[in-house]
Amino acid sequence: MNILLLGSGGREHALAWKIAASPLTDRLYCAPGNAGIAQEAECVALDLADHAAVIGFCKDRQIDFVVVGPEAPLCAGIVDDLEAAGIKAFGPTKFAAQIEGSKGFTKDLCRANKIPTAAYERFTAAAPAKDYIRARGAPIVVKADGLAAGKGVVVAATIEEALQAVDMMFEGGHGDAGAEVVIEEFLTGEEASFFALCDGATAIPLATAQDHKRVNDGDQGPNTGGMGAYSPAPIMTDAMNARVMHEIILPTLRAMAAMGAPYKGVLYAGLMLTAEGPKLIEYNARFGDPECQVLMLRLMSDLVPALIAARDGVLKNFDLRWYPEVALTVVMAAKGYPGTYARGTVIEGLAEAAAVEGVEIFHAGTRAERGQILANGGRVLNICALGGTVAEAQARAYAAVDRIRWADGFCRRDIGWRAVARERES
Ligand code: AMP
């Protein structure tokens, strides 16, 4: 098969690595890709917002299957357009991708189907939103309805902070994404991610993972796209996984199918494990980044037939196998991230780092120039490792990090700390 992968981050590098390893893959292209993906696929400079150009490329190169990595093209309807042109594509339709593209859509779906989630209301104007905040008190959470590159959520410790967030969003702080706002109850507990591969009717749970969203050690500082992750997530016991499937994932699939919009693709549930049980924080319509990287390291089965079965609606009798080892990834980011940062700084030592036992390096934001690898984004590298324990995977990942010479980069030094502590206790 000729396969086209869309995207350019660490998630797509991990997907490219797995897709390239499939005996079903003849040629793998990635648009736009990055310097790491170029080792696995032929990178092509397509504008993903230009669906006609993507379709034209697929016809030209006889692409049999398109795998969409990021959410923006899904929410823009690229799967609908590809399928309408006769090209098979993995991922939800534009309507189904609202599960990520509109927080209000998902909250209403939860309310209508009794799926556990934080209590909430939707607002299209500041004054009633502020009344609601004053009535509910703090802490409280203010969210832009639409896609805001992971930055549309303000967890407000005080009423004042929540009111300011409302003003910021309605004044266009997140552009159109903030034209509508969801205000919701603050949930306490431990967060975990749950991934399921869906074919419209059937959901197959993928391995569990946990990520670290805050930029600093000890889970402090501003939220980011994710500074590290590990799989499995020890907090996700078999009993908890079964609850999440029955209380959250399967009712969602049934509800989407009943709306005439069966959900196909990866359904990624961000969960809060509260004292009352698991509650949905949000859905994403694709693999998490950096969780995808640790999942791909642990996936023993061929990914390509699984993605095709999801698209074709035949997951019912499908089975995925996983390596029992722990996978952990440390994100190396450009200094300043998640604020402003420099691009174009030189990274060295990648080959030495990749030589550490059990280590695999995925590029998140790099480009190659005159034989050098340059940083080309906020999150730049994923230093991943497999190990027999979380502690071993963590030690291997940091041994590799320490071989990388990049003066303008930084990373957290404590990825996996909760799981390492649990491991020590047991
Ligand atoms: P989201 O983009 O919806 O995943 O939110 C980003 C982060 O904000 C989550 O990973 C949580 O840490 C936090 N968050 C979102 N909603 C809530 C909530 N209702 N209660 C507590 N924390 C939340």
Side-chain angles (χ1 to χ4, degrees):
M1 297 180 73
N2 295 330
I3 299 179
L4 171 65
L5 172 65
L6 303 182
S8 63
R11 168 182 49 215
E12 287 75 23
H13 190 181
L15 291 171
W17 177 76
K18 224 17 220 173
I19 294 170
S22 170
L24 293 175
T25 305
D26 288 322
R27 307 203 90 182
L28 175 61
Y29 300 91
C30 184
N34 66 35
I37 294 172
Q39 296 161 9
E40 308 288 349
E42 187 179 322
C43 293
V44 282
L46 287 173
D47 172 6
L48 302 191
D50 184 348
H51 296 187
V54 175
I55 290 166
F57 177 85
C58 290
K59 296 212 157 141
D60 195 41
R61 302 298 169 99
Q62 293 168 345
I63 299 294
D64 301 293
F65 194 55
V66 178
V67 178
V68 186
E71 62 277 17
L74 293 170
C75 291
I78 194 143
V79 168
D80 312 54
D81 291 344
L82 285 164
E83 292 278 352
I87 302 155
K88 288 186 178 189
F90 174 80
T93 61
K94 181 176 182 170
F95 186 91
Q98 284 184 90
I99 217 149
E100 171 160 7
S102 166
K103 296 198 188 288
F105 173 88
T106 297
K107 297 299 287 190
D108 288 353
L109 182 132
C110 288
R111 184 178 276 167
N113 295 280
K114 299 192 170 52
I115 294 167
T117 189
Y120 74 101
E121 285 306 328
R122 303 174 69 169
F123 298 94
T124 51
K130 290 180 174 179
D131 290 344
Y132 182 75
I133 288 168
R134 291 193 190 92
R136 301 295 298 225
I140 194 159
V141 183
V142 181
K143 299 185 173 184
D145 182 77
L147 290 184
K151 300 194 178 97
V153 175
V154 175
V155 179
T158 63
I159 290 182
E160 194 47 43
E161 207 183 317
L163 299 178
Q164 279 171 13
V166 166
D167 281 333
M168 177 271 286
M169 288 180 193
F170 283 119
E171 281 162 14
H174 294 302
D176 288 348
E180 185 174 335
V181 162
V182 171
I183 299 179
E184 68 179 39
E185 172 197 6
F186 174 78
L187 299 174
T188 50
E190 190 169 339
E191 280 182 57
S193 309
F194 190 95
F195 297 90
L197 189 61
C198 304
D199 74 353
T202 299
I204 299 187
L206 304 180
T208 59
Q210 219 161 348
D211 76 338
H212 292 270
K213 283 219 166 53
R214 304 298 187 105
V215 72
N216 297 325
D217 283 13
D219 295 316
Q220 304 293 314
N223 257 323
T224 69
M227 295 301 290
Y230 50 95
S231 171
I235 196 168
M236 294 304 290
T237 58
D238 289 348
M240 184 60 81
N241 285 334
R243 266 190 91 168
V244 172
M245 280 299 284
H246 287 104
E247 295 174 22
I248 298 177
I249 303 290
L250 293 174
T252 301
L253 276 201
R254 285 195 292 270
M256 295 295 292
M259 269 188 242
Y263 188 91
K264 292 185 178 187
V266 172
L267 186 58
Y268 158 2
L271 303 171
M272 187 71 84
L273 306 180
T274 73
E276 295 156 26
K279 292 193 179 182
L280 181 72
I281 297 178
E282 63 157 3
Y283 271 133
N284 292 301
R286 32 80 195 179
F287 281 108
D289 184 344
E291 294 98 321
C292 182
Q293 289 82 315
V294 287
L295 294 184
M296 290 306 114
L297 273 188
R298 291 193 57 222
L299 182 60
M300 189 189 296
S301 306
D302 188 345
L303 177 67
V304 173
L307 301 182
I308 293 171
R311 182 271 169 202
D312 288 347
V314 295
L315 273 183
K316 203 164 192 296
N317 297 313
F318 216 86
D319 191 28
L320 287 175
R321 299 185 63 200
W322 302 88
Y323 293 112
E325 281 90 351
V326 174
L328 182 139
T329 182
V330 176
V331 171
M332 295 189 78
K335 278 183 187 162
Y337 176 80
T340 51
Y341 52 81
R343 285 176 197 259
T345 57
V346 178
I347 302 166
E348 293 176 314
L350 287 168
E352 293 98 304
V356 174
E357 191 181 351
V359 165
E360 197 64 48
I361 296 178
F362 295 125
H363 293 218
T366 61
R367 65 189 165 87
E369 203 177 282
R370 289 193 291 271
Q372 287 188 312
I373 298 293
L374 307 181
N376 193 34
R379 293 188 298 165
V380 174
L381 294 168
N382 301 126
I383 314 301
C384 311
L386 282 170
T389 59
V390 192
E392 185 178 50
Q394 187 192 51
R396 287 173 168 179
Y398 282 112
V401 164
D402 290 338
R403 290 186 181 189
I404 291 174
R405 297 184 298 282
W406 179 28
D408 300 283
F410 77 98
C411 66
R412 279 180 58 164
R413 300 294 315 191
D414 66 343
I415 298 304
W417 66 271
R418 282 178 200 270
V420 170
R422 278 204 176 89
E423 210 167 64
R424 279 207 200 99
E425 281 163 20
S426 63

